[in-house]
Amino acid sequence: MKAISENLILSAHDIGTGGLIISALEMSFGSGIGVELDISNVSPSRTLNKMYSESGNRIIIEVPAGGEERIEKIGETVFLRKLGTTG
C-alpha cells in the first residue's frame, strides 16, 4: 500500500470485538500515548452504537501530524473520517 511505503500509517487496528472505542483503547495500551476522540462525524447513529458497533470492514489508522491531507489523496476511493488526535 502506498500509504505504508510513504510512512503515512504509524499504526492500524481493525474494528472488531468491542467496536471503535475498544479498538482505540487497544491501540493505546502499553504505548504511553493517549487518544482524544470526536465521533460526532462517524454517523448519525446514537453514541453507544458508534462506540460499540462491531460491523465489519472498518479500521482505525494513525497518521503523523500533518499527514491527513496526504492520506486523503492516496485513499480517494476509501471512506475516511478524522476521529481525533493522539498524544
Side-chain angles (χ1 to χ4, degrees):
M1 174 179 222
K2 187 174 182 179
I4 293 171
S5 66
E6 292 188 18
N7 296 318
L8 284 176
I9 297 182
L10 300 176
S11 63
H13 196 296
D14 68 307
I15 299 176
T17 304
L20 172 65
I21 192 69
I22 299 303
S23 296
L25 291 171
E26 287 176 349
M27 288 177 75
S28 68
F29 289 158
S31 67
I33 299 173
V35 61
E36 183 174 322
L37 299 177
D38 175 1
I39 60 170
S40 61
N41 67 351
V42 171
S43 75
S45 298
R46 294 175 39 193
T47 301
L48 287 176
N49 292 345
K50 290 188 242 187
M51 289 175 36
Y52 296 104
S53 172
E54 296 178 354
S55 59
N57 299 322
R58 299 180 302 154
I59 62 169
I60 299 174
I61 60 171
E62 178 187 9
V63 299
E68 295 94 346
E69 190 173 310
R70 288 176 49 213
I71 199 79
E72 286 176 0
K73 287 180 183 176
I74 290 172
E76 288 178 340
T77 60
V78 178
F79 183 72
L80 299 171
R81 286 284 182 254
K82 182 175 180 177
L83 298 177
T85 57
T86 59

